[in-house]
Amino acid sequence: MVITNQGVRIVFENNQTCYTPQEELFTRIERLQGHLLTAGMQAALIVQNADLFYFSGTCQDAHLLIPARGEPLLMVRKNYERALEESALDKIIAVQSYKDIGRSIAGSLKNRGGIGLELDVLPANLFFRYKKMLEPLEIIDVSGAIREIRMIKSPYEIECMKECIRVTSEMYNEVPNLIKEGMTEIELSSRLELFMRVKGNQGNPRLRAFNQEAPPHVLSGRNSAYPSFFDGPTGGAGLSPAFPQGPGFKTIGRNEPILVDFSAVINGYVVDHTRIFSIGPLSDKLVEAHNTALEIKRRFIQEMKPGANGKDFYDMAVNMAEKAGLSSHFMGSGVHFVGHGLGLELDELPVIAKNHHVTLQAGMLLALEPKFVFPGEGTVGVEDTFVLTESGLEQLNTLDDSIKIL
Protein backbone atom coordinates (compact mmCIF):
# COMPACT_ATOMS: atom_id res chain seq x y z
CA MET A 1 0.00 0.00 0.00
CA VAL A 2 1.30 3.42 -0.97
CA ILE A 3 0.02 6.75 0.37
CA THR A 4 1.09 9.89 -1.47
CA ASN A 5 0.45 13.60 -0.99
CA GLN A 6 -1.78 13.48 -4.06
CA GLY A 7 -4.05 10.83 -2.59
CA VAL A 8 -4.12 7.11 -1.93
CA ARG A 9 -2.85 4.34 -4.13
CA ILE A 10 -3.05 0.78 -2.86
CA VAL A 11 -0.84 -1.89 -4.35
CA PHE A 12 -2.26 -5.36 -3.77
CA GLU A 13 -0.28 -8.54 -4.24
CA ASN A 14 -1.26 -12.16 -3.74
CA ASN A 15 -1.38 -13.11 -0.05
CA GLN A 16 -0.48 -9.58 1.05
CA THR A 17 -2.08 -8.48 4.30
CA CYS A 18 -3.73 -5.08 4.06
CA TYR A 19 -3.66 -2.93 7.21
CA THR A 20 -5.69 0.26 7.63
CA PRO A 21 -3.31 3.25 7.81
CA GLN A 22 -3.18 5.23 11.05
CA GLU A 23 -4.06 8.48 9.29
CA GLU A 24 -7.20 6.84 7.89
CA LEU A 25 -8.26 5.62 11.36
CA PHE A 26 -7.65 9.01 12.97
CA THR A 27 -9.72 10.79 10.30
CA ARG A 28 -12.65 8.45 10.97
CA ILE A 29 -12.29 8.82 14.74
CA GLU A 30 -12.17 12.62 14.50
CA ARG A 31 -15.45 12.63 12.57
CA LEU A 32 -17.11 10.59 15.32
CA GLN A 33 -15.58 12.82 17.99
CA GLY A 34 -17.15 15.82 16.29
CA HIS A 35 -20.56 14.18 16.65
CA LEU A 36 -19.92 13.30 20.28
CA LEU A 37 -19.02 16.90 21.11
CA THR A 38 -22.08 18.25 19.31
CA ALA A 39 -24.34 15.74 21.11
CA GLY A 40 -22.76 16.47 24.49
CA MET A 41 -21.54 12.90 25.02
CA GLN A 42 -18.34 11.95 26.82
CA ALA A 43 -17.44 9.01 24.61
CA ALA A 44 -18.57 6.11 22.45
CA LEU A 45 -17.88 2.45 23.18
CA ILE A 46 -17.50 0.47 19.93
CA VAL A 47 -18.25 -3.24 20.11
CA GLN A 48 -19.72 -4.55 16.83
CA ASN A 49 -17.13 -6.11 14.50
CA ALA A 50 -17.69 -3.98 11.38
CA ASP A 51 -17.60 -0.75 13.38
CA LEU A 52 -14.66 -1.99 15.43
CA PHE A 53 -12.67 -2.72 12.28
CA TYR A 54 -13.67 0.63 10.77
CA PHE A 55 -12.36 2.64 13.72
CA SER A 56 -9.48 0.42 14.93
CA GLY A 57 -8.31 -1.71 12.00
CA THR A 58 -8.79 -5.00 13.86
CA CYS A 59 -11.61 -7.47 14.48
CA GLN A 60 -10.12 -9.14 17.52
CA ASP A 61 -12.29 -9.58 20.63
CA ALA A 62 -12.01 -6.00 21.80
CA HIS A 63 -13.80 -2.85 22.95
CA LEU A 64 -12.83 0.54 21.57
CA LEU A 65 -13.39 3.59 23.76
CA ILE A 66 -13.48 6.79 21.70
CA PRO A 67 -13.62 9.86 23.96
CA ALA A 68 -15.06 13.12 22.69
CA ARG A 69 -11.58 14.56 23.17
CA GLY A 70 -8.28 12.76 23.31
CA GLU A 71 -6.87 9.43 22.13
CA PRO A 72 -8.98 6.28 21.73
CA LEU A 73 -8.30 3.25 23.92
CA LEU A 74 -8.48 -0.27 22.47
CA MET A 75 -9.10 -2.90 25.16
CA VAL A 76 -8.39 -6.40 23.84
CA ARG A 77 -9.49 -9.67 25.43
CA LYS A 78 -8.35 -12.04 22.63
CA ASN A 79 -5.99 -11.91 20.79
CA TYR A 80 -3.86 -9.07 22.15
CA GLU A 81 -0.76 -9.86 20.06
CA ARG A 82 -2.76 -9.87 16.82
CA ALA A 83 -4.49 -6.61 17.74
CA LEU A 84 -1.06 -5.01 18.23
CA GLU A 85 -0.06 -6.23 14.78
CA GLU A 86 -3.28 -5.25 13.01
CA SER A 87 -4.26 -1.93 14.60
CA ALA A 88 -2.36 1.33 14.02
CA LEU A 89 -3.81 2.90 17.18
CA ASP A 90 -1.35 3.92 19.86
CA LYS A 91 -3.21 3.02 23.08
CA ILE A 92 -3.86 -0.73 23.09
CA ILE A 93 -4.12 -2.68 26.32
CA ALA A 94 -4.86 -6.29 27.27
CA VAL A 95 -7.89 -7.02 29.46
CA GLN A 96 -9.22 -10.24 30.91
CA SER A 97 -12.81 -9.48 31.82
CA TYR A 98 -15.67 -7.02 31.64
CA LYS A 99 -14.58 -5.78 35.06
CA ASP A 100 -11.24 -4.79 33.56
CA ILE A 101 -13.07 -2.97 30.75
CA GLY A 102 -15.30 -1.17 33.24
CA ARG A 103 -12.33 -0.07 35.32
CA SER A 104 -10.46 1.19 32.25
CA ILE A 105 -13.48 3.21 31.15
CA ALA A 106 -14.02 4.61 34.64
CA GLY A 107 -10.38 5.68 34.74
CA SER A 108 -10.73 7.51 31.42
CA LEU A 109 -14.07 9.30 31.83
CA LYS A 110 -15.83 11.54 34.31
CA ASN A 111 -18.38 9.85 36.52
CA ARG A 112 -21.33 11.47 34.76
CA GLY A 113 -22.73 12.27 31.33
CA GLY A 114 -23.54 10.16 28.28
CA ILE A 115 -21.72 7.35 26.51
CA GLY A 116 -22.73 6.10 23.07
CA LEU A 117 -23.31 2.46 22.17
CA GLU A 118 -24.45 0.80 18.93
CA LEU A 119 -27.98 0.08 20.10
CA ASP A 120 -29.19 -0.97 16.64
CA VAL A 121 -27.10 -4.16 16.82
CA LEU A 122 -26.42 -4.68 20.54
CA PRO A 123 -28.30 -7.70 22.01
CA ALA A 124 -30.56 -6.86 24.93
CA ASN A 125 -28.71 -9.05 27.42
CA LEU A 126 -25.44 -7.28 26.61
CA PHE A 127 -27.15 -3.91 26.83
CA PHE A 128 -28.17 -4.61 30.42
CA ARG A 129 -24.67 -5.87 31.20
CA TYR A 130 -23.14 -2.66 29.85
CA LYS A 131 -25.76 -0.57 31.61
CA LYS A 132 -24.72 -2.00 34.96
CA MET A 133 -20.99 -1.82 34.11
CA LEU A 134 -21.16 1.82 33.00
CA GLU A 135 -23.35 3.28 35.78
CA PRO A 136 -23.87 6.15 36.46
CA LEU A 137 -23.13 7.06 32.82
CA GLU A 138 -26.19 7.39 30.61
CA ILE A 139 -26.21 5.08 27.57
CA ILE A 140 -27.17 6.86 24.34
CA ASP A 141 -27.62 5.34 20.89
CA VAL A 142 -24.73 6.36 18.62
CA SER A 143 -25.42 3.88 15.80
CA GLY A 144 -27.07 6.43 13.53
CA ALA A 145 -24.04 8.73 13.65
CA ILE A 146 -21.68 5.82 13.00
CA ARG A 147 -23.66 4.67 9.96
CA GLU A 148 -23.75 8.20 8.56
CA ILE A 149 -19.97 8.57 9.02
CA ARG A 150 -19.38 5.23 7.31
CA MET A 151 -21.75 6.20 4.49
CA ILE A 152 -19.16 8.56 2.94
CA LYS A 153 -16.14 6.64 1.66
CA SER A 154 -12.58 7.94 1.72
CA PRO A 155 -10.19 7.59 -1.25
CA TYR A 156 -8.57 4.72 0.65
CA GLU A 157 -11.88 2.85 0.93
CA ILE A 158 -12.73 3.45 -2.72
CA GLU A 159 -9.39 1.95 -3.72
CA CYS A 160 -10.11 -1.08 -1.52
CA MET A 161 -13.44 -1.54 -3.27
CA LYS A 162 -11.85 -1.18 -6.70
CA GLU A 163 -9.60 -4.12 -5.86
CA CYS A 164 -12.71 -6.11 -4.96
CA ILE A 165 -14.24 -5.04 -8.29
CA ARG A 166 -11.18 -6.33 -10.14
CA VAL A 167 -11.40 -9.76 -8.56
CA THR A 168 -15.18 -9.94 -8.99
CA SER A 169 -14.91 -9.03 -12.66
CA GLU A 170 -12.55 -11.95 -13.18
CA MET A 171 -15.18 -14.26 -11.70
CA TYR A 172 -18.00 -12.94 -13.89
CA ASN A 173 -15.84 -13.37 -16.98
CA GLU A 174 -15.36 -17.01 -15.96
CA VAL A 175 -19.09 -17.76 -15.53
CA PRO A 176 -19.74 -18.74 -19.20
CA ASN A 177 -16.95 -21.33 -18.99
CA LEU A 178 -18.51 -22.99 -15.94
CA ILE A 179 -22.22 -23.14 -16.79
CA LYS A 180 -23.32 -26.51 -18.15
CA GLU A 181 -26.85 -27.65 -18.95
CA GLY A 182 -28.06 -30.14 -16.34
CA MET A 183 -25.72 -29.03 -13.55
CA THR A 184 -27.36 -27.92 -10.31
CA GLU A 185 -27.43 -24.36 -9.05
CA ILE A 186 -25.47 -25.33 -5.96
CA GLU A 187 -22.77 -26.93 -8.12
CA LEU A 188 -22.38 -23.76 -10.20
CA SER A 189 -22.42 -21.61 -7.08
CA SER A 190 -19.77 -23.74 -5.36
CA ARG A 191 -17.48 -23.48 -8.39
CA LEU A 192 -17.85 -19.70 -8.43
CA GLU A 193 -17.29 -19.53 -4.68
CA LEU A 194 -14.11 -21.60 -5.02
CA PHE A 195 -12.90 -19.32 -7.81
CA MET A 196 -13.39 -16.31 -5.51
CA ARG A 197 -12.12 -17.88 -2.29
CA VAL A 198 -8.68 -18.67 -3.69
CA LYS A 199 -8.42 -15.02 -4.75
CA GLY A 200 -9.10 -13.76 -1.23
CA ASN A 201 -12.89 -13.60 -0.92
CA GLN A 202 -13.72 -13.86 2.79
CA GLY A 203 -17.10 -15.49 2.16
CA ASN A 204 -20.59 -14.20 2.80
CA PRO A 205 -20.71 -10.44 3.45
CA ARG A 206 -21.60 -8.91 6.78
CA LEU A 207 -25.09 -7.48 7.16
CA ARG A 208 -26.24 -5.12 9.87
CA ALA A 209 -29.90 -6.09 9.76
CA PHE A 210 -30.99 -8.65 12.34
CA ASN A 211 -31.32 -12.24 11.04
CA GLN A 212 -30.41 -11.33 7.48
CA GLU A 213 -27.87 -13.46 5.61
CA ALA A 214 -26.60 -13.11 2.06
CA PRO A 215 -25.13 -16.15 0.32
CA PRO A 216 -24.49 -15.88 -3.41
CA HIS A 217 -27.78 -15.93 -5.30
CA VAL A 218 -26.94 -18.27 -8.18
CA LEU A 219 -30.47 -19.06 -9.32
CA SER A 220 -32.05 -20.35 -12.50
CA GLY A 221 -35.50 -20.12 -14.03
CA ARG A 222 -38.40 -20.37 -11.62
CA ASN A 223 -36.09 -20.63 -8.60
CA SER A 224 -34.80 -17.09 -9.17
CA ALA A 225 -38.41 -15.94 -8.61
CA TYR A 226 -39.05 -18.24 -5.64
CA PRO A 227 -39.77 -16.03 -2.62
CA SER A 228 -37.94 -16.14 0.70
CA PHE A 229 -37.47 -14.11 3.88
CA PHE A 230 -34.46 -12.31 2.40
CA ASP A 231 -34.98 -8.55 2.09
CA GLY A 232 -34.19 -8.38 -1.61
CA PRO A 233 -35.82 -8.95 -4.98
CA THR A 234 -34.66 -12.57 -5.28
CA GLY A 235 -34.81 -15.39 -2.80
CA GLY A 236 -34.38 -18.93 -4.04
CA ALA A 237 -35.36 -22.22 -2.42
CA GLY A 238 -32.02 -22.77 -0.73
CA LEU A 239 -30.85 -26.20 0.38
CA SER A 240 -33.42 -26.82 3.12
CA PRO A 241 -35.96 -25.06 5.37
CA ALA A 242 -33.05 -24.45 7.75
CA PHE A 243 -31.48 -22.11 5.17
CA PRO A 244 -34.36 -21.19 2.84
CA GLN A 245 -32.66 -18.91 0.32
CA GLY A 246 -30.01 -19.02 -2.34
CA PRO A 247 -29.10 -21.82 -4.74
CA GLY A 248 -30.63 -25.26 -4.39
CA PHE A 249 -30.64 -28.60 -6.16
CA LYS A 250 -32.61 -27.39 -9.17
CA THR A 251 -30.91 -28.32 -12.43
CA ILE A 252 -30.12 -25.60 -14.92
CA GLY A 253 -32.02 -25.94 -18.17
CA ARG A 254 -32.24 -24.27 -21.54
CA ASN A 255 -34.04 -21.03 -22.38
CA GLU A 256 -34.31 -19.83 -18.80
CA PRO A 257 -32.57 -16.91 -17.08
CA ILE A 258 -29.58 -17.84 -14.94
CA LEU A 259 -29.09 -15.11 -12.36
CA VAL A 260 -25.66 -14.68 -10.77
CA ASP A 261 -25.92 -12.16 -7.92
CA PHE A 262 -22.58 -12.28 -6.13
CA SER A 263 -21.45 -10.06 -3.26
CA ALA A 264 -17.71 -10.54 -3.04
CA VAL A 265 -15.68 -9.35 -0.03
CA ILE A 266 -11.96 -8.55 -0.30
CA ASN A 267 -10.08 -7.05 2.67
CA GLY A 268 -13.41 -6.54 4.41
CA TYR A 269 -15.04 -4.45 1.68
CA VAL A 270 -18.03 -5.73 -0.25
CA VAL A 271 -19.21 -5.04 -3.79
CA ASP A 272 -22.43 -6.29 -5.36
CA HIS A 273 -23.19 -7.26 -8.95
CA THR A 274 -25.81 -9.19 -10.89
CA ARG A 275 -25.60 -10.54 -14.42
CA ILE A 276 -28.01 -12.72 -16.41
CA PHE A 277 -26.93 -15.72 -18.46
CA SER A 278 -28.92 -18.22 -20.52
CA ILE A 279 -28.32 -21.47 -22.39
CA GLY A 280 -30.24 -20.54 -25.51
CA PRO A 281 -32.46 -17.50 -26.08
CA LEU A 282 -35.05 -16.17 -23.63
CA SER A 283 -38.63 -15.15 -24.35
CA ASP A 284 -39.27 -11.71 -25.80
CA LYS A 285 -41.06 -10.77 -22.57
CA LEU A 286 -38.00 -11.43 -20.42
CA VAL A 287 -35.67 -9.71 -22.88
CA GLU A 288 -37.86 -6.60 -22.95
CA ALA A 289 -37.99 -6.52 -19.15
CA HIS A 290 -34.21 -6.79 -18.97
CA ASN A 291 -33.84 -3.94 -21.45
CA THR A 292 -36.17 -1.84 -19.28
CA ALA A 293 -33.89 -2.52 -16.29
CA LEU A 294 -30.92 -1.35 -18.35
CA GLU A 295 -32.77 1.82 -19.34
CA ILE A 296 -33.49 2.54 -15.66
CA LYS A 297 -29.79 2.09 -14.92
CA ARG A 298 -28.86 4.49 -17.73
CA ARG A 299 -31.26 7.12 -16.41
CA PHE A 300 -29.68 6.80 -12.99
CA ILE A 301 -26.23 7.35 -14.51
CA GLN A 302 -27.46 10.39 -16.45
CA GLU A 303 -29.32 12.11 -13.61
CA MET A 304 -27.98 11.05 -10.21
CA LYS A 305 -25.90 13.90 -8.77
CA PRO A 306 -24.88 15.13 -5.30
CA GLY A 307 -27.67 17.15 -3.71
CA ALA A 308 -30.47 15.13 -5.29
CA ASN A 309 -33.06 13.28 -3.22
CA GLY A 310 -32.59 9.51 -3.39
CA LYS A 311 -36.34 8.93 -3.13
CA ASP A 312 -36.83 10.63 -6.51
CA PHE A 313 -34.80 7.90 -8.23
CA TYR A 314 -36.89 5.14 -6.71
CA ASP A 315 -39.99 6.97 -7.95
CA MET A 316 -38.37 7.38 -11.37
CA ALA A 317 -37.70 3.65 -11.60
CA VAL A 318 -41.25 2.78 -10.56
CA ASN A 319 -42.68 5.15 -13.16
CA MET A 320 -40.48 3.68 -15.89
CA ALA A 321 -41.56 0.16 -14.94
CA GLU A 322 -45.20 1.24 -15.00
CA LYS A 323 -44.86 2.82 -18.47
CA ALA A 324 -43.34 -0.45 -19.71
CA GLY A 325 -46.31 -2.41 -18.30
CA LEU A 326 -44.05 -4.13 -15.77
CA SER A 327 -44.94 -2.47 -12.47
CA SER A 328 -46.31 -5.70 -10.93
CA HIS A 329 -42.95 -7.41 -11.54
CA PHE A 330 -40.62 -4.62 -10.44
CA MET A 331 -38.23 -5.69 -7.63
CA GLY A 332 -40.37 -8.68 -6.66
CA SER A 333 -42.91 -9.01 -3.88
CA GLY A 334 -42.71 -6.69 -0.87
CA VAL A 335 -39.44 -4.99 -1.87
CA HIS A 336 -39.55 -1.19 -1.96
CA PHE A 337 -35.97 -0.20 -2.77
CA VAL A 338 -33.83 -0.13 -5.88
CA GLY A 339 -30.41 0.58 -4.38
CA HIS A 340 -28.38 0.37 -1.20
CA GLY A 341 -25.07 1.47 0.23
CA LEU A 342 -21.96 -0.71 0.37
CA GLY A 343 -18.81 -0.82 2.43
CA LEU A 344 -17.85 -3.15 5.25
CA GLU A 345 -21.47 -4.31 5.29
CA LEU A 346 -23.80 -5.18 2.43
CA ASP A 347 -26.68 -3.08 3.76
CA GLU A 348 -25.04 0.26 4.47
CA LEU A 349 -26.57 3.68 3.98
CA PRO A 350 -27.95 5.24 1.89
CA VAL A 351 -31.03 3.34 0.74
CA ILE A 352 -32.72 4.37 -2.51
CA ALA A 353 -36.23 3.49 -1.50
CA LYS A 354 -39.91 4.36 -1.36
CA ASN A 355 -40.67 7.24 1.02
CA HIS A 356 -37.02 7.39 2.10
CA HIS A 357 -35.71 10.92 1.72
CA VAL A 358 -31.92 11.10 1.58
CA THR A 359 -29.68 13.83 0.19
CA LEU A 360 -27.10 12.21 -2.05
CA GLN A 361 -23.47 13.14 -1.36
CA ALA A 362 -20.16 12.66 -3.12
CA GLY A 363 -18.32 9.67 -1.69
CA MET A 364 -21.35 7.42 -1.39
CA LEU A 365 -20.94 3.85 -2.67
CA LEU A 366 -24.13 2.46 -4.17
CA ALA A 367 -25.33 -0.88 -5.47
CA LEU A 368 -28.14 -0.04 -7.90
CA GLU A 369 -30.21 -3.07 -8.89
CA PRO A 370 -33.32 -2.61 -11.06
CA LYS A 371 -34.78 -6.11 -11.51
CA PHE A 372 -38.00 -7.72 -12.71
CA VAL A 373 -39.32 -10.91 -11.16
CA PHE A 374 -41.73 -13.24 -13.00
CA PRO A 375 -43.13 -16.01 -10.74
CA GLY A 376 -42.72 -19.42 -12.32
CA GLU A 377 -40.38 -18.08 -15.01
CA GLY A 378 -37.42 -16.25 -13.54
CA THR A 379 -35.73 -12.92 -12.85
CA VAL A 380 -33.95 -10.51 -15.17
CA GLY A 381 -32.17 -7.23 -14.52
CA VAL A 382 -28.83 -5.92 -13.45
CA GLU A 383 -26.84 -4.74 -10.45
CA ASP A 384 -23.68 -2.68 -10.41
CA THR A 385 -21.50 -0.91 -7.87
CA PHE A 386 -21.11 2.86 -8.29
CA VAL A 387 -19.34 5.68 -6.52
CA LEU A 388 -21.07 9.06 -6.50
CA THR A 389 -18.56 11.78 -7.42
CA GLU A 390 -18.99 15.54 -7.59
CA SER A 391 -19.87 15.17 -11.28
CA GLY A 392 -22.20 12.17 -10.95
CA LEU A 393 -22.21 8.39 -10.87
CA GLU A 394 -19.09 6.43 -11.77
CA GLN A 395 -19.59 2.74 -12.46
CA LEU A 396 -16.68 0.83 -10.96
CA ASN A 397 -16.80 -2.17 -13.28
CA THR A 398 -16.80 -2.55 -17.05
CA LEU A 399 -18.81 -5.78 -17.32
CA ASP A 400 -21.20 -6.18 -20.23
CA ASP A 401 -24.72 -5.85 -18.79
CA SER A 402 -26.66 -7.51 -21.63
CA ILE A 403 -28.05 -11.04 -21.29
CA LYS A 404 -25.21 -13.44 -22.09
CA ILE A 405 -26.54 -16.20 -24.37
CA LEU A 406 -24.39 -19.32 -24.17
Side-chain angles (χ1 to χ4, degrees), residues 86-328:
E86 295 167 354
S87 176
L89 298 181
D90 294 322
K91 294 176 65 175
I92 304 175
I93 64 172
V95 294
Q96 300 298 321
S97 66
Y98 278 85
K99 287 184 179 179
D100 291 342
I101 295 169
R103 282 192 290 265
S104 296
I105 294 172
S108 301
L109 302 180
K110 297 176 181 177
N111 199 24
R112 56 183 172 78
I115 185 168
L117 272 76
E118 306 137 305
L119 297 188
D120 65 331
V121 292
L122 194 67
N125 61 339
L126 279 180
F127 169 81
F128 288 114
R129 186 172 195 171
Y130 287 127
K131 189 174 186 296
K132 182 177 181 180
M133 181 181 78
L134 295 169
E135 287 178 347
L137 295 172
E138 178 190 2
I139 292 177
I140 300 171
D141 186 16
V142 77
S143 56
I146 290 173
R147 296 194 73 193
E148 288 184 4
I149 289 168
R150 286 180 47 191
M151 179 173 67
I152 307 300
K153 270 54 183 185
S154 68
Y156 168 83
E157 291 182 283
I158 292 170
E159 289 300 318
C160 286
M161 299 186 80
K162 285 181 178 179
E163 170 63 10
C164 193
I165 292 281
R166 184 189 66 78
V167 176
T168 305
S169 296
E170 291 180 7
M171 182 273 292
Y172 273 99
N173 289 330
E174 185 67 15
V175 172
N177 300 325
L178 298 178
I179 293 178
K180 301 289 186 257
E181 184 178 359
M183 74 188 312
T184 63
E185 295 172 338
I186 193 62
E187 181 182 358
L188 175 59
S189 181
S190 65
R191 292 187 180 190
L192 295 176
E193 291 173 61
L194 174 61
F195 184 92
M196 290 297 294
R197 287 287 278 174
V198 298
K199 293 181 178 294
N201 183 40
Q202 73 182 36
N204 293 345
R206 291 188 169 103
L207 283 91
R208 202 170 189 93
F210 179 68
N211 268 353
Q212 288 292 307
E213 299 161 308
H217 278 196
V218 180
L219 310 170
S220 62
R222 65 182 183 278
N223 196 35
S224 65
Y226 196 72
S228 81
F229 72 93
F230 180 65
D231 186 18
T234 58
L239 297 174
S240 77
F243 198 83
Q245 66 156 318
F249 294 106
K250 179 190 174 299
T251 57
I252 295 173
R254 298 185 65 83
N255 309 115
E256 62 178 9
I258 305 165
L259 176 142
V260 179
D261 183 346
F262 211 109
S263 303
V265 193
I266 304 291
N267 290 312
Y269 284 90
V270 58
V271 296
D272 206 3
H273 297 96
T274 299
R275 289 296 183 266
I276 305 297
F277 303 84
S278 176
I279 303 173
L282 299 181
S283 67
D284 290 343
K285 176 176 68 175
L286 293 178
V287 172
E288 290 171 5
H290 186 81
N291 289 338
T292 300
L294 296 185
E295 184 57 32
I296 291 171
K297 170 187 164 179
R298 294 185 187 105
R299 286 284 300 277
F300 285 169
I301 293 173
Q302 290 169 1
E303 300 186 24
M304 196 171 280
K305 300 284 192 299
N309 187 346
K311 173 187 177 299
D312 294 341
F313 293 93
Y314 176 82
D315 294 341
M316 174 195 294
V318 169
N319 290 336
M320 292 179 69
E322 185 175 359
K323 288 181 180 178
L326 295 167
S327 58
S328 61

Side-chain angles (χ1 to χ4, degrees), residues 1-12 155-156 159-160:
M1 178 172 54
V2 179
I3 302 178
T4 69
N5 291 332
Q6 290 73 37
V8 178
R9 179 169 59 89
I10 302 175
V11 180
F12 292 90
Y156 168 83
E159 289 300 318
C160 286

